[in-house]
Amino acid sequence: DYMETILEIQNLKCGGCAHTITKKLIELVGIKNITVDTNSSSININSTNEEALEEAKTLLYKLGYPVQGDNNSFGTKAKSFVSCAIGRIEKS
């Protein structure tokens, strides 16, 4: 059984960001059906359990997209620019 969760994240700017997020999260075990909404800066994610969801949050943070309320340092913002650029290149 999968549980559906909506995560509001920081630093989400465009389709390039969304591409990177979707590509990386889908590689995790226990994660499927990822929908990224750049307008509301949110991700709709289906996970098998809490551990899978926590792994997804950790990965988002490493990519530069911390969940709302988490620390959003200069380093995290810089990572999001890199993830965004990679996503734009791969998407085109």
Side-chain angles (χ1 to χ4, degrees):
D1 260 10
Y2 281 83
M3 51 184 206
E4 190 175 322
T5 309
I6 295 174
L7 300 174
E8 287 188 25
I9 59 168
Q10 303 175 76
N11 305 329
L12 179 57
K13 309 251 185 319
C14 66
C17 298
H19 178 82
T20 297
I21 289 168
T22 304
K23 187 175 176 222
K24 295 294 184 188
L25 286 183
I26 207 76
E27 293 172 0
L28 294 176
V29 174
I31 299 292
K32 71 170 190 173
N33 296 351
I34 299 151
T35 312
V36 182
D37 184 345
T38 52
N39 294 326
S40 64
S41 291
S42 66
I43 302 174
N44 191 317
I45 189 170
N46 286 289
S47 57
T48 46
N49 55 37
E50 275 301 318
E51 282 122 30
L53 187 60
E54 286 306 312
E55 267 187 63
K57 289 180 185 177
T58 302
L59 181 58
L60 284 166
Y61 186 85
K62 285 181 185 164
L63 290 171
Y65 306 103
V67 175
Q68 286 293 355
D70 280 2
N71 183 20
N72 191 12
S73 64
F74 176 77
T76 311
K77 288 176 184 167
K79 284 181 196 165
S80 76
F81 285 112
V82 174
S83 293
C84 173
I86 290 168
R88 279 198 219 157
I89 292 164
E90 289 178 346
K91 205 175 152 208
S92 57

